[in-house]
Amino acid sequence: MRRVEEAVLTNPAANHAVKHAENSPEGHIRLFAPLTGPVVMLADVPDPVFSGGMFGDGIGVDPLEGKLVAPCDGVVAHLARTGHALTLVTAEGAQVLLHIGIDTVELDGRGFAPMVEQGAQVRAGDVLIEFDQDIVACTAPSLVSVVAIANSDAFEIVERAGACGLKAGETPLLVLRARDGALVEAAREASVVVEEARQQVTLTHAGGLHARPAARVREAVRGLEARVEVRFNGKKAPVESVVGMLGLGAGQGASVEIVGVGAQAAEAVAAVAHELQRDAHGETDEKPARQIEAAAASAATAAARAASAATVAAAAAPVPNTLTGVCAAPGIAVGKLVHWDDAEPVPPEAAQGTLAQESRRLDQAIAAVDAELNTTVRDASQRGAVGAAGIFAVHRVLLEDPTLVDNARDLISLGKSAGFAWREAIRAQIAVLANLDDALLAERAADLRDIGKRVLRALGYANAATRELPAEAVLAAEDFTPSDLSSLDRTRVTALVMARGGATSHAAIIARQLGIPALVAVGDALRRIAEHTEVVVDASNGRLEYAPGARDVERARSERERLAGVRETNRRTSHQAAATADGRAIEVAANIATLDDAKTAVDNGADAIGLLRTELLFIHRAAAPSVDEHRRSYQAIVEALGGRSAIIRTLDVGADKEVDYLTLPPEPNPALGLRGIRLAQVRPDLLEDQLRGLLAVQPAGAVRILLPMVTDAGELVRLRAQIAELARAMGRTAPVEVGVMIEVPSAALLADQLAKHADFLSIGTNDLTQYTLAMDRCQPDLAAQADGLHPAVLRLIDLAVQGAQKHGKWVGVCGALAGDPLAVPLLVGLGVTELSVDPVSVPAIKARVRKLDYRLCRQRAQDALALDSAQAVRAASRDHWPLD
Ligand code: PEP
Ligand code: MG
């Protein structure tokens, strides 16, 4: 290598350019001009990929001669197939990218003649590539070429040539210095292939580049060696930043450019393009969160339905001083109304600790919120709220968004407190979204606000309401976020009331778990009740009475006490088997989705697992689970059950219950499409792998297989044959019990045929109700009417039981109706012998069964089949079997 001193002497102009070259300390790497021509500063290179530093820091040259020479000694670690670029690695590990012209990859090799091969050891000044300037100038957007340090994280440019003319192989161009020894080592080990790839993509999705595609894009490139950014309308965003991508404002029909740089650039760009066009391959439109939550409400509890019915009735004849709502968690409470102050906490602007301390506080708060969200995602998954789980998963992604976190760090480095910095970073991003004037993005602003609030809480900034609660507080809000509830003083809160919300919203689930009565969908009138007004919340009956009389308060208090006693009594006997007073045994099992649920089920006295919804174990995965992953998940659950058996349902996914690894063609009516076992028509591998995993669980008798969405016996016979064949191939000799879900009217009508081939039937009343009444289970406006106690649904249940009895098979119910106290006597009366319910409902349902007389139930259930509406059935049930 020629020494810098010599070069400086041969080219006096460079004296100014590399000022201290001769004095540069040892370990510095000196690069000479690889091309002859004037310097172009990196920021002025006419391609944002380079000028934005995506390839790393560097410098441009506008070449006057068609010859690229080595700027230093090194090894040609990568030579582009098209001959327009190469990467040289120095002995110290610096990766020097030499790129001729702009967009010259498009020339596909035309005009370029590499003079070296990949892997060649070269000396400074050796000719690397010759190129035809005319061809490049006429076909590419520009001849300007770039020298970039691809591993700029390991090497920094400490000196660079100023505006001057360069002579290839002679003029000093750059001086590099290693930033950190460890990084250099890593850099040497790392692959040095620097490819670039670009693709233009038109967004076909109605939502454009919204949170879900953005989050997926980010996931798609995880682990790939490439830096990728999306560009639109003169703006660009790295794919690591969901917030940045949202800020592009690329809506439906927008044509965005994806640019990738790195060894796996082509792969990464293709992956991003695939995600951005995925809608065209089958993604449903992203819906505003309210709608998604409504969809999550598909597994709405029976209690909510009962209360909805009450609400409808109450609405017809308004009671003074009373608001009606939907029961989200049963119970009754008396207290003072406190409007939950939703105002953001105000952290102090100035840092209280050192810069490092503030930075650490922010890191810790973010980590705490991340853990909290992880639990939230899991909870949502457990209750079947796949959509809601998706929302919280997006929150997790936003939480670690580099744009947000970097902005907050910048403010901390300016002396601001962690809380202030975080709040400002969130605000700035909300402002960007607000400017885009888009309803869906407005929802993302709400997401940002929520994670903003969560982190501030984790930093210790609570809002006023949490500190000033009266002794018995009934908290009122538009809706509560899980973070609101996690910071509550539970010793003071007696009930929750929400103007909006759904029976299966997060707040509802948490309230149920905590045993706090909760009422949702009370409406805007809630806001008009004055602060600290005394109220009675009769959640079980869907009522909120404000400014009640002394007698009402008294009654409510004693009712509350009585209910607490009942709960305690129920718990004491929950581990004993349940039978009606006249001796009809009823198994009370639990519906679960995870290993944790299995433990809760056992704690609550569940006799068995009546339904394991397996799709929820695997929703947030990039790929379908392997046979062994299936086996391990089920094995762990079986082991947690202490000898109890588990009915495990095969994947019930499809366009209506989406999982990340499925890309199905769009369907106009997903609920009527390729879901449940029908999915095997297009993805037989998914079912087969799952069956193999199920068949491998030990001991063999611990697991029964349940098939969802079966419509006739032909399907069942085929599937049984497949299961038998797989078992044989695996060398399994023990028999396996196979049951079918009765959730499609045809299956109920043909139950006698199905029962001939099935070991048991399990009625999915959620779907059976939806398909019988033609009422979308996700449509909130129909929530009160889509009632499983509708006589038509009861008649199908009756048919199913009769069909099963012909062949001596048993029938269970695993839909939400099984956990509805008003439905229990009727289901038992129709001949159902297993009720599979929410783990926490097991004690109450067992207690309910014990109070029944089977002969009476039978008679009254037959009478119910003749009633003319679900309301009439409910009223009759309430009369015959009053609620606790
Ligand atoms: C049902 O349809 O009642 C059922 C139990 O299945 P899922 O709610 O998972 O569709
Ligand atoms: Mg179902």
Side-chain angles (χ1 to χ4, degrees):
M1 185 176 175
R2 284 168 58 125
R3 298 176 55 218
V4 170
E5 294 91 305
E6 273 179 48
V8 171
L9 288 177
T10 28
N11 185 356
N15 236 337
H16 163 75
V18 185
K19 282 181 258 149
H20 307 293
E22 23 331 10
N23 299 327
S24 296
E26 232 9 78
H28 283 195
I29 307 160
R30 299 170 182 89
L31 305 187
F32 292 88
L35 293 157
T36 296
V39 163
V40 177
M41 284 304 151
L42 196 65
D44 300 327
V45 171
D47 181 350
V49 175
F50 292 110
S51 58
M54 246 184 115
F55 277 97
D57 195 6
I59 194 163
V61 185
D62 199 353
L64 300 175
E65 291 171 9
K67 202 182 280 180
L68 176 86
V69 305
C72 56
D73 295 355
V75 173
V76 179
H78 175 247
L79 173 63
R81 180 187 54 80
T82 43
H84 71 289
L86 61 70
T87 309
L88 212 58
V89 177
T90 70
E92 297 83 357
Q95 300 167 5
V96 184
L97 169 76
L98 303 164
H99 190 284
I100 303 166
I102 299 299
D103 272 359
T104 37
V105 65
E106 300 293 329
L107 271 60
D108 206 22
R110 211 155 56 86
F112 294 99
M115 296 290 127
V116 288
E117 288 187 346
Q118 192 160 303
Q121 172 79 51
V122 297
R123 313 264 311 159
D126 287 353
V127 178
L128 302 174
I129 298 172
E130 288 186 351
F131 56 98
D132 185 322
Q133 284 175 279
D134 292 343
I135 292 183
V136 179
C138 295
T139 31
S142 167
L143 253 174
V144 169
S145 303
V146 175
V147 178
I149 308 309
N151 55 345
S152 289
D153 50 343
F155 292 89
E156 61 183 324
I157 297 176
V158 287
E159 294 177 24
R160 71 185 80 214
C164 65
L166 303 168
K167 180 107 183 87
E170 292 186 3
T171 320
L173 185 71
L174 301 172
V175 177
L176 314 181
R177 181 175 62 194
R179 290 180 196 269
D180 170 329
L183 272 177
V184 178
E185 269 316 306
R188 272 210 206 100
E189 308 275 303
S191 158
V192 292
V193 183
V194 181
E195 287 283 10
E196 96 178 86
R198 296 164 187 249
Q199 193 173 331
Q200 201 78 28
V201 160
T202 301
L203 305 177
T204 48
H205 186 357
L209 183 44
H210 279 294
R212 208 131 60 101
R216 284 195 173 135
V217 156
R218 177 176 170 278
E219 285 310 303
V221 298
R222 207 190 271 282
L224 291 180
E225 210 178 297
R227 265 169 294 156
V228 185
E229 60 184 38
V230 179
R231 301 199 195 151
F232 175 65
N233 227 358
K235 291 183 278 185
K236 59 180 182 167
V239 294
E240 293 80 39
S241 174
V242 170
V243 168
M245 283 191 279
L246 296 182
L248 293 177
Q252 183 178 17
S255 174
V256 301
E257 189 184 18
I258 310 157
V259 181
V261 171
Q264 292 175 292
E267 207 179 316
V269 167
V272 171
H274 175 78
E275 288 303 335
L276 290 181
Q277 292 177 304
R278 187 159 155 177
D279 329 300
H281 305 297
E283 171 129 319
T284 50
D285 288 351
E286 183 169 350
K287 300 183 187 90
R290 290 256 171 252
Q291 269 168 271
I292 296 174
E293 276 201 2
S298 58
T301 61
R305 287 220 182 82
S308 305
T311 305
V312 171
V319 182
N321 279 21
T322 301
L323 301 179
T324 58
V326 171
C327 173
I332 188 162
V334 178
K336 295 244 158 48
L337 196 83
V338 174
H339 288 282
W340 179 251
D341 179 7
D342 211 19
E344 242 182 50
V346 186
E349 181 170 347
Q352 283 132 350
T354 63
L355 202 148
Q357 282 167 338
E358 293 295 330
S359 218
R360 212 169 24 249
R361 284 184 67 215
L362 182 62
D363 288 346
Q364 283 165 350
I366 289 176
V369 172
D370 189 53
E372 176 187 309
L373 282 170
N374 191 21
T375 313
T376 308
V377 169
R378 223 192 41 216
D379 289 349
S381 304
Q382 281 173 17
R383 67 191 151 100
V386 180
I391 294 172
F392 292 113
V394 167
H395 283 198
R396 286 189 79 190
V397 170
L398 292 177
L399 192 64
E400 57 183 44
D401 195 283
T403 306
L404 276 180
V405 178
D406 290 352
N407 287 351
R409 282 197 205 301
D410 286 351
L411 287 168
I412 289 177
S413 69
L414 295 175
K416 310 293 180 193
S417 75
F420 181 88
W422 178 253
R423 198 182 60 152
E424 289 308 301
I426 291 274
R427 281 186 174 180
Q429 219 45 57
I430 288 174
V432 170
L433 297 187
N435 282 341
L436 295 173
D437 189 24
D438 176 310
L440 263 170
L441 289 178
E443 284 239 329
R444 294 291 80 88
D447 292 338
L448 283 170
R449 229 169 265 125
D450 193 48
I451 62 161
K453 223 159 58 168
R454 282 173 187 270
V455 171
L456 289 180
R457 283 215 185 91
L459 281 166
Y461 303 112
N463 63 20
T466 55
R467 292 193 299 268
E468 295 168 9
L469 293 180
E472 288 180 315
V474 170
L475 292 190
E478 188 77 359
D479 204 349
F480 291 100
T481 64
S483 60
D484 289 330
L485 299 185
S486 65
S487 58
L488 285 187
D489 178 352
R490 289 178 200 146
T491 59
R492 298 189 154 253
V493 176
T494 59
L496 299 172
V497 283
M498 286 158 256
R500 316 243 162 275
T504 57
S505 71
H506 229 79
I509 300 301
I510 295 174
R512 275 203 289 276
Q513 277 164 3
L514 299 176
I516 300 180
L519 206 52
V520 295
V522 174
D524 294 337
L526 182 60
R527 255 179 256 121
R528 292 198 288 274
I529 303 178
E531 185 81 354
H532 288 184
T533 303
E534 183 160 50
V535 292
V536 169
V537 181
D538 183 356
S540 303
N541 289 303
R543 283 154 46 142
L544 166 73
E545 195 182 347
Y546 51 95
R551 284 242 304 278
D552 294 329
V553 170
E554 185 68 18
R555 241 193 327 263
R557 284 198 191 284
S558 57
E559 177 63 1
R560 184 175 167 78
E561 243 165 67
R562 190 186 69 78
L563 287 176
V566 169
R567 260 199 314 277
E568 188 41 43
T569 313
N570 292 348
R571 265 207 77 82
R572 264 187 254 130
T573 50
S574 67
H575 288 266
Q576 292 155 24
T580 60
D582 52 347
R584 169 101 166 160
I586 302 293
E587 186 174 73
V588 180
N591 289 352
I592 63 165
T594 65
L595 179 57
D596 278 353
D597 285 355
K599 293 172 186 157
T600 314
V602 171
D603 287 349
N604 281 282
D607 300 324
I609 296 307
L611 171 65
L612 167 58
R613 290 180 163 103
T614 56
E615 55 276 11
L616 302 173
L617 284 170
F618 304 110
I619 52 171
H620 294 297
R621 293 172 50 107
S626 67
V627 173
D628 201 50
E629 283 169 322
H630 276 297
R631 184 194 60 77
R632 276 188 276 128
S633 305
Y634 310 141
Q635 188 68 52
I637 286 173
V638 161
E639 276 158 24
L641 294 179
R644 293 165 186 82
S645 62
I647 295 178
I648 304 188
R649 185 174 73 183
T650 59
L651 280 171
D652 183 15
V653 291
D656 72 324
K657 291 183 189 165
E658 211 192 337
V659 292
D660 285 356
Y661 51 86
L662 275 182
T663 45
L664 296 169
E667 296 191 53
N669 287 311
L672 305 181
L674 288 174
R675 57 170 289 199
I677 54 155
R678 302 168 187 178
L679 186 62
Q681 292 171 22
V682 286
R683 289 294 304 269
D685 55 312
L686 294 180
L687 180 61
E688 185 171 324
D689 285 355
Q690 184 172 31
L691 290 173
R692 282 182 204 276
L694 282 168
L695 290 168
V697 176
Q698 295 294 332
V703 164
R704 298 183 175 118
I705 296 176
L706 181 59
L707 303 170
M709 295 298 290
V710 171
T711 49
D712 60 43
E715 285 171 344
L716 173 60
V717 169
R718 273 193 301 280
L719 282 163
R720 277 216 88 131
Q722 184 187 3
I723 293 168
E725 183 50 43
L726 290 171
R728 222 180 350 266
M730 291 167 63
R732 174 178 163 138
T733 49
V736 55
E737 284 194 31
V738 178
V740 290
M741 292 279 291
I742 304 292
E743 51 190 345
V744 178
S746 69
L749 292 166
L750 299 174
D752 57 335
Q753 298 178 4
L754 285 164
K756 192 169 166 202
H757 304 281
D759 294 301
F760 62 95
L761 307 182
S762 184
I763 303 176
T765 49
N766 305 337
D767 277 319
L768 188 61
T769 305
Q770 142 164 287
Y771 295 127
T772 304
L773 303 183
M775 289 184 187
D776 185 343
R777 60 190 266 185
C778 305
Q779 163 58 272
D781 296 336
L782 295 173
Q785 289 146 275
D787 189 336
L789 282 187
H790 193 286
V793 181
L794 292 180
R795 286 186 187 201
L796 287 176
I797 296 174
D798 185 40
L799 264 183
V801 176
Q802 286 179 34
Q805 283 172 349
K806 264 194 204 162
H807 299 278
K809 307 291 167 61
W810 63 268
V811 180
V813 173
C814 62
L817 207 60
D820 179 345
L822 289 181
V824 168
L826 297 169
L827 295 175
V828 169
L830 289 174
V832 166
T833 55
E834 181 233 36
L835 298 168
S836 193
V837 303
D838 255 2
V840 287
S841 305
V842 169
I845 297 299
K846 281 194 170 181
R848 183 95 173 140
V849 166
R850 292 189 186 112
K851 290 202 184 113
L852 301 175
D853 178 310
Y854 175 53
R855 275 168 317 166
L856 259 185
C857 290
R858 275 182 66 173
Q859 194 188 315
R860 288 174 178 166
Q862 289 306 314
D863 294 345
L865 298 180
L867 293 176
D868 58 8
S869 68
Q871 284 93 326
V873 174
R874 284 199 178 276
S877 178
R878 203 183 282 267
D879 279 354
H880 297 319
W881 300 283
L883 294 172
D884 276 334

